[in-house]
């Protein structure tokens, strides 16, 4: 398991990436729907929030203020969210590679 400082650094790095990409995202989209950039930003933000909740539950349990089942549930939710995000990332990369292989 990663140490709390490693997790905090990962969250900080992700927040910096989101701030940098959020400034360049286009505001317009088709038919009133969300743009891909904002959809991606929301998804990554929800994974970050899930991780923060998991970390908070872990710290509360270490302080004797939380139930073990709450911690296990929060960690499992974070694991599912991260796994889903990684799967989507892999699919996006595969789609990009397929597009790059297409003849012009």
């Amino acid at each position: 398991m990663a140490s709390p400082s490693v997790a905090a650094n990962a969250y900080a790095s992700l927040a910096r990436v989101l701030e940098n990409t959020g400034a360049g995202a286009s505001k317009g989209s088709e038919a009133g729907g969300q743009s891909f950039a904002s959809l991606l930003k929301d998804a990554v933000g929800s994974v970050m929030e899930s991780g923060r909740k998991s970390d908070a539950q872990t710290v509360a349990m270490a302080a004797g203020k939380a139930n073990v089942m709450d911690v296990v549930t929060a960690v499992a939710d974070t694991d599912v969210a991260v796994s889903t995000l990684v799967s989507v990332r892999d699919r996006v990369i595969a789609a990009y590679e397929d597009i790059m292989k297409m003849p012009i």
Side-chain angles (χ1 to χ4, degrees):
M1 180 181 269
S3 69
S5 63
V6 171
N9 289 337
Y11 293 139
S13 297
L14 188 56
R16 282 193 303 272
V17 167
L18 287 176
E19 288 174 5
N20 291 339
T21 58
S26 64
K27 300 287 182 188
S29 60
E30 290 184 21
Q34 284 186 322
S35 69
F36 181 72
S38 65
L39 184 67
L40 186 61
K41 184 177 179 180
D42 292 344
V44 172
S46 69
V47 172
M48 281 181 44
E49 184 61 31
S50 176
R52 286 186 183 129
K53 287 179 184 178
S54 175
D55 289 346
Q57 287 288 335
T58 303
V59 169
M61 186 187 77
K65 298 179 182 178
N67 187 358
V68 174
M69 288 303 295
D70 294 337
V71 175
V72 170
T73 302
V75 170
D77 288 344
T78 301
D79 183 47
V80 168
V82 169
S83 296
T84 303
L85 185 65
V86 168
S87 295
V88 169
R89 179 207 62 186
D90 292 344
R91 297 287 297 264
V92 168
I93 290 172
Y96 173 78
E97 289 172 347
D98 288 343
I99 291 170
M100 294 307 292
K101 291 177 186 175
M102 288 181 182
I104 296 178

